[in-house]
Amino acid sequence: MPLQLSHASLFSISPNPYMVLNRDLVYVDANDAYLRVTGRRREEVIGRHIFDAFPGDPDDPQDSAAVLRQSLRHALDRGETHHLPLIRYSIARQVDGREVVEERFWSATHVPVRNAEGAVVAVLQHTVDVTELQTLKQAMRASRTMELEKGILERAREVAASNAMLDAQHRHLRRLFEQAPGFIAVLRGPLHVFDLVNESYRQLIGHRDVVGKTVRQALPEVEGQGFFELLDRVYASGEPYVGRSIRVLLQRTPDAPPEERWIDLVYQPVLEDDGSVSGILAQGHDMTEQHQAQEEMRRYRTQLEQLLSERTQDLLQSRAEHEQTRAQLEHVQKLEALGRLTGGIAHDFNNLLQVLNNSLLLLKRVTQGNEPAQRWIATAGNAVSSGAKLTGQLLAFARKQPLEPRALNIGRLLQGMDDLLRRSLGGAVEVETVIAGGLWNTHADPTQLENVILNLAINARDAMDGEGRLTIEARNAMLDDLYADTHHEVAPGQYVLLAVSDTGCGMPPDVIERAFEPFFSTKPANQGTGLGLSMVYGFVKQSGGHVKIYSEPGHGTTVKIYLPRSHQAEEQPELRVTGPVEGGTETVLVVEDDPAVLATTVETLDDLGYRVLKASDGQSALAIVNSGVPIDLLFTDVVMPGPVRSVDLARQAQQALPQLKVLFTSGYTENAIVHGGRLDPGVNLISKPYRREDLARKIRQVLQQGAGAAAAQPAQLDVLFVEDDAELRHLGLELLRLLGHRVTAVGSAEEALAQMAAPPGHPGHAGQPGGSGGGSGEPGERGGSGEPGPASPPGGSDAPPREPRRFDVLLTDVALPGLSGVELAREARARQPGIRVILASGYGRSALPEAEQAGDRTLLLPKPYSADGLKEALARVARAVR
């Protein structure tokens, strides 16, 4: 039988001296050979500290006890074997009943002892008594010549220097390994046992103790993510693996769900001299913050594009879809180009029509009784009306007309149009109206929708040569994802369907394709402008809907209009003022940059009995407002030259005169008081060209309103925006500006506190929304035109101090250089107790405790946030501020 011995038996009977110390350097065990060479009994050492059992020589100039202690600690703390080739250590022995200190020389090797989990729990010392050898060496050295002695000493110095250099290199390499910016791990064997990991790797995995464990034992949550299989493949093939932006889920905190991290990674096989693979070097970088920043930047850009663009394109899935989308885009660009052209000329063209219209009205009054003159004036007036209608159609198809939508029921609207349709179409056209039960409401401009229905009905009459059947149907409809996938501009959801069908000649596919193009018509010359269907298309798109033509030659045509469902209750239309024209005695300030329009408007209002003041631009108008003259109504063009826009003029004038009413006029509103194609709530507008009667009634209506006219812009907030990333700061500033707020943007908490300490009018003060923001190196980016602050009072340093600027909202990133966002929030509240705080954090809801540290009235906005999310957050704090 083979001899079987346990480790303990081998330890005990070994002729070599061995002993074991625990981490406190207390004897755990010692074999007989050790007790013999040290002259001790087992009970004299077991349980005692080594330096209590062998205190050493206090007069030893080499301090051998300290050298021994350092070697033991090296093995225990670093987990590495350490060897002492020679150490002088005196041993106290009992000789003839007395204690004798005997000088001995030893060679010792200290080996760390690990437990099952791989942790160092003890140190094993193998001791060799080399006293006789050392004595012999000393004798030999004594007998050698001085030259040999000198050579040995020189060699010893070289060896010592070489050892010192190697030790320094080892420490240097260890420092480089630990301080490397990327993570590094050294894996051994086919099971991938961790041999070494640096601090960056420990940070990545949550500071777990993994040395001595296999990757599957140390990182069980990585199972199924493909990394273990990659390691096996690299070890088996000897080929390295390089990966970039790899997603990995790691449980960095015990009992917490795995966290998502993004890493760049290299698995490099470690090759032996014979070419075999003995392990793998894993090296890489944690790219999570960069990935999150890129994602955040992408979302910012996407949101800005959605705010600045009227429509976006879906990604193309196939070549056919690409061609289809390109064709649609070219069609849209054609419409947009014509729309921009129309918008550019509409203002000036309508001003010309307004001058003609006002002049004709005044001529009509002074030529009463002159029948030929009255007839000519009426003919010229009809031409002005036709020009105004043409301009209105152009603006309609270009989606630039200001809509006044409300919740309405298309069924009731059709019932109200029944007599109008029958009179317009003639008795030879049979009109059938089909309204489904339970019809949903929609949100649209009723006047424009009536025009759309009438346009389609007249087109149908012409297609039927004045005789046939016209069917108008209204019912509920659902457009699903499948339909939306084939019609890129359609959002799936609930709609109200309005279908207009005729029994006319129908249209071939090439005509259907161009039917919505402006000025395209199949009618003979001088029989239509070709703008009817273009106006329908523009109105439907501006109302968020969808329009589709179904037709075949000889089988009639159906035009289907889908308008989004509204969950609001139907709104009753306002009663139109149709009574006699009335003037008044109030004071009206007219602001108009066109001298001819200004002159005729002033004369018209003067003729109506009003006291009229006039100004050619916003600055002149503000001077009149600030002069103290009482003014009842501000009547201003929307498009104004100079630094003061019409909406700013209205806002500042109402601040100075709270009871002032405001009426806007324009032939082309741009985006000043119309957003998303719809007139801003509370804004009064009369479109050019207008008749004298319409102007008179509109002015009386505005003056008789119970509350002052609403400011053109929605409620604004003074926002202090803090973001250390320059590009994110600029994009965030643009978002806030587009949402209509006054913004001061800075890059640090310290700059923010400086802004709060600065008085109004300071360079960092934001005036009006709409500015582009300051450039690099400025103390803050300004979200407005930057009204100049009040002039410094006379008297120099004797002038009274100015109050610091106050903000409504502090919108700050949590992670900032210097003071953090939470610390900034607390300091801001100390300075301005009423300020509301929005904390933006890239750590999502996990930053909630930090938000709670910032105090109450704090709202957490997870990054990356959308424009809608930012708008909702500001709306929530606005309710508290206002």
Side-chain angles (χ1 to χ4, degrees):
M1 289 180 59
L3 180 62
Q4 296 184 353
L5 296 175
S6 66
H7 290 166
S9 298
L10 291 173
F11 175 87
S12 176
I13 68 175
S14 174
N16 297 312
Y18 288 100
M19 63 88 167
V20 179
L21 301 176
N22 64 15
R23 293 192 64 86
D24 296 324
L25 303 184
V26 173
Y27 278 96
V28 176
D29 200 358
N31 68 354
D32 295 338
Y34 180 85
L35 297 174
R36 281 197 303 273
V37 298
T38 57
R40 293 291 190 273
R41 295 190 302 274
R42 182 176 300 276
E43 59 271 22
E44 292 177 342
V45 294
I46 300 304
R48 295 184 65 190
H49 194 281
I50 184 172
F51 294 109
D52 289 336
F54 298 97
D57 186 358
D59 299 325
D60 182 6
Q62 299 178 357
D63 197 3
S64 299
V67 174
L68 177 60
R69 182 189 300 273
Q70 183 179 3
S71 177
L72 292 168
R73 294 299 341 160
H74 181 97
L76 286 168
D77 296 339
R78 298 193 182 184
E80 298 173 350
T81 299
H82 193 265
H83 182 61
L84 289 176
L86 184 65
I87 182 172
R88 176 184 174 277
Y89 206 99
S90 299
I91 299 293
R93 294 178 181 274
Q94 294 293 328
V95 179
D96 297 332
R98 60 188 179 88
E99 186 176 82
V100 177
V101 177
E102 181 179 340
E103 183 181 76
R104 305 297 292 176
F105 291 88
W106 311 87
S107 176
T109 300
H110 299 129
V111 180
V113 180
R114 302 178 184 271
N115 61 11
E117 288 74 25
V120 178
V121 297
V123 61
L124 171 69
Q125 183 191 73
H126 174 209
T127 307
V128 178
D129 188 347
V130 295
T131 303
E132 286 74 12
L133 180 60
Q134 185 65 18
T135 302
L136 179 60
K137 287 180 180 180
Q138 290 175 353
M140 290 176 64
R141 281 196 299 269
S143 65
R144 289 179 183 177
T145 64
M146 291 297 293
E147 188 65 30
L148 179 60
E149 206 170 81
K150 180 180 178 181
I152 292 175
L153 289 174
E154 185 64 29
R155 179 57 181 165
R157 292 191 190 97
E158 291 176 358
V159 171
S162 177
N163 289 339
M165 182 182 297
L166 290 173
D167 189 54
Q169 290 177 350
H170 173 76
R171 290 195 300 270
H172 181 64
L173 290 175
R174 186 73 185 193
R175 283 194 299 271
L176 291 177
F177 178 79
E178 283 294 335
Q179 298 174 17
F183 61 79
I184 304 175
V186 180
L187 306 176
R188 168 174 44 85
L191 296 180
H192 318 302
V193 177
F194 283 100
D195 268 352
L196 290 172
V197 294
N198 70 346
E199 179 60 25
S200 295
Y201 193 89
R202 288 190 287 271
Q203 290 179 359
L204 175 67
I205 64 173
H207 293 280
R208 282 179 276 184
D209 187 6
V210 297
V211 174
K213 299 179 182 178
T214 68
V215 290
R216 288 176 169 82
Q217 294 171 338
L219 306 172
E221 72 276 13
V222 181
E223 183 71 47
Q225 299 185 46
F227 291 92
F228 298 158
E229 292 77 7
L230 279 175
L231 286 170
D232 293 340
R233 189 175 70 192
V234 170
Y235 190 89
S237 66
E239 296 293 331
Y241 168 80
V242 178
R244 296 192 179 278
S245 296
I246 303 175
R247 177 177 178 268
V248 60
L249 297 176
L250 292 171
Q251 190 169 12
R252 307 179 73 210
T253 303
D255 302 325
E259 296 182 27
E260 182 183 67
R261 310 299 292 180
W262 295 84
I263 59 175
D264 288 348
L265 179 68
V266 176
Y267 284 155
Q268 178 66 44
V270 178
L271 303 179
E272 297 299 320
D273 293 339
D274 60 358
S276 62
V277 178
S278 61
I280 295 176
L281 174 68
Q283 186 271 334
H285 295 273
D286 187 350
M287 306 298 292
T288 304
E289 291 186 2
Q290 293 88 329
H291 181 84
Q292 290 176 344
Q294 291 172 357
E295 283 296 304
E296 191 171 341
M297 294 284 293
R298 185 187 64 78
R299 289 177 182 267
Y300 267 126
R301 289 193 180 95
T302 300
Q303 293 302 324
L304 284 175
E305 289 170 2
Q306 290 174 348
L307 289 171
L308 297 173
S309 174
E310 294 185 353
R311 58 184 54 83
T312 58
Q313 302 178 39
D314 292 328
L315 293 176
L316 306 178
Q317 300 298 321
S318 66
R319 184 178 298 274
E321 289 179 350
H322 173 74
E323 292 299 326
Q324 179 184 3
T325 303
R326 185 175 63 82
Q328 292 175 353
L329 179 60
E330 289 176 353
H331 181 70
V332 169
Q333 288 174 336
K334 184 189 300 182
L335 296 181
E336 293 292 347
L338 189 53
R340 286 192 295 271
L341 175 63
T342 301
I345 66 172
H347 179 260
D348 293 338
F349 185 64
N350 278 327
N351 275 349
L352 295 175
L353 293 177
Q354 187 62 58
V355 173
L356 292 173
N357 188 63
N358 287 355
S359 300
L360 290 172
L361 292 174
L362 294 172
L363 282 173
K364 184 177 181 180
R365 292 176 62 83
V366 300
T367 58
Q368 292 290 342
N370 187 336
E371 184 175 346
Q374 291 285 310
R375 188 167 58 252
W376 297 333
I377 290 171
T379 301
N382 291 335
V384 170
S385 298
S386 298
K389 182 178 180 181
L390 177 62
T391 303
Q393 288 177 321
L394 289 172
L395 289 175
F397 97 78
R399 285 167 279 170
K400 301 296 183 182
Q401 60 179 343
L403 299 179
E404 297 186 55
R406 62 177 176 85
L408 59 88
N409 187 282
I410 291 181
R412 274 183 278 277
L413 183 137
L414 288 173
Q415 291 171 353
M417 292 183 64
D418 187 70
D419 289 341
L420 173 63
L421 288 171
R422 296 184 188 279
R423 289 197 305 270
S424 301
L425 301 179
V429 175
E430 181 183 351
V431 179
E432 181 182 7
T433 303
V434 181
I435 301 173
L439 188 66
W440 295 329
N441 291 338
T442 187
H443 198 255
D445 187 317
T447 302
Q448 297 299 329
L449 182 56
E450 288 178 352
N451 288 338
V452 165
I453 296 171
L454 188 58
N455 246 311
L456 293 176
I458 292 174
N459 277 354
R461 179 201 64 188
D462 295 344
M464 296 184 294
D465 292 330
E467 183 177 358
R469 175 188 292 272
L470 175 70
T471 303
I472 303 177
E473 179 186 5
R475 60 181 173 84
N476 300 331
M478 287 286 298
L479 296 182
D480 57 18
D481 293 332
L482 181 61
Y483 187 88
D485 288 341
T486 56
H487 299 78
H488 299 287
E489 78 282 4
V490 176
Q494 296 177 327
Y495 290 83
V496 177
L497 169 63
L498 174 66
V500 179
S501 304
D502 62 57
T503 57
C505 58
M507 292 184 283
D510 59 324
V511 173
I512 295 175
E513 185 178 352
R514 301 188 58 193
F516 292 129
E517 291 184 10
F519 304 113
F520 175 77
S521 176
T522 58
K523 298 178 181 179
N526 301 321
Q527 293 189 21
T529 62
L531 289 174
L533 284 177
S534 296
M535 185 267 290
V536 171
Y537 176 85
F539 166 77
V540 173
K541 292 299 179 182
Q542 195 171 353
S543 300
H546 172 60
V547 58
K548 186 75 173 177
I549 298 177
Y550 299 88
S551 182
E552 291 183 22
H555 292 82
T557 300
T558 297
V559 179
K560 291 187 176 182
I561 295 174
Y562 297 86
L563 295 175
R565 177 187 181 181
S566 172
H567 293 276
Q568 298 177 357
E570 183 179 11
E571 300 177 26
Q572 295 302 318
E574 296 181 1
L575 295 177
R576 296 184 180 272
V577 179
T578 58
V581 174
E582 295 181 5
T585 59
E586 292 89 347
T587 300
V588 180
L589 173 57
V590 181
V591 188
E592 171 62 63
D593 62 303
D594 188 304
V597 177
L598 178 62
T600 57
T601 302
V602 169
E603 191 168 349
T604 300
L605 292 175
D606 185 68
D607 184 64
L608 288 170
Y610 293 103
R611 179 170 178 252
V612 185
L613 306 173
K614 61 182 179 179
S616 60
D617 56 46
Q619 286 180 309
S620 303
L622 279 179
I624 296 174
V625 170
N626 294 326
S627 69
V629 176
I631 303 172
D632 299 294
L633 175 70
L634 172 65
F635 182 39
T636 177
D637 194 4
V638 173
V639 181
M640 295 290 296
V644 181
R645 302 183 306 158
S646 58
V647 290
D648 300 330
L649 167 63
R651 179 180 57 81
Q652 296 181 49
Q654 287 187 316
Q655 288 177 349
L657 302 172
Q659 301 303 316
L660 180 71
K661 309 298 191 297
V662 179
L663 175 60
F664 290 98
T665 182
S666 182
Y668 175 49
T669 60
E670 292 182 322
N671 288 318
I673 58 174
V674 175
H675 294 87
R678 302 179 180 187
L679 199 64
D680 289 344
V683 172
N684 295 298
L685 172 71
I686 183 170
S687 297
K688 293 179 182 178
Y690 46 78
R691 299 182 304 164
R692 175 178 179 274
E693 293 80 1
D694 295 332
L695 177 62
R697 292 190 179 105
K698 189 66 175 182
I699 288 178
R700 294 316 309 165
Q701 174 191 347
V702 173
L703 286 172
Q704 291 169 7
Q705 288 176 353
Q713 290 283 9
Q716 298 171 340
L717 296 171
D718 278 312
V719 180
L720 180 55
F721 177 45
V722 189
E723 170 59 62
D724 61 309
D725 187 288
E727 189 168 357
L728 292 181
R729 182 168 66 251
H730 176 71
L731 294 173
L733 174 65
E734 289 297 310
L735 271 176
L736 291 165
R737 176 182 66 80
L738 289 172
L739 292 174
H741 300 290
R742 292 181 292 269
V743 190
T744 299
V746 297
S748 67
E750 290 74 16
E751 289 180 273
L753 295 175
Q755 289 295 328
M756 295 184 72
H762 184 269
H765 173 57
Q768 308 303 329
S772 61
S776 174
E778 296 296 329
E781 296 190 58
R782 294 161 55 186
S785 59
E787 299 175 38
S792 300
S797 60
D798 295 332
R802 297 165 66 186
E803 290 294 324
R805 176 143 181 241
R806 304 190 69 82
F807 293 94
D808 297 319
V809 178
L810 169 63
L811 170 57
T812 177
D813 192 12
V814 173
L816 294 174
L819 288 177
S820 70
V822 174
E823 293 169 327
L824 170 61
R826 289 198 291 261
E827 179 63 26
R829 285 233 174 83
R831 297 188 182 192
Q832 295 184 16
I835 196 169
R836 261 52 182 180
V837 177
I838 300 176
L839 287 180
S841 173
Y843 295 99
R845 294 295 173 186
S846 62
L848 190 58
E850 293 179 324
E852 294 173 350
Q853 292 176 21
D856 56 359
R857 304 190 307 278
T858 298
L859 187 65
L860 178 65
L861 181 62
K863 285 185 176 181
Y865 48 80
S866 64
D868 291 339
L870 179 59
K871 182 178 179 181
E872 172 61 22
L874 289 168
R876 290 175 61 184
V877 298
R879 289 193 288 269
V881 171
R882 302 295 178 191

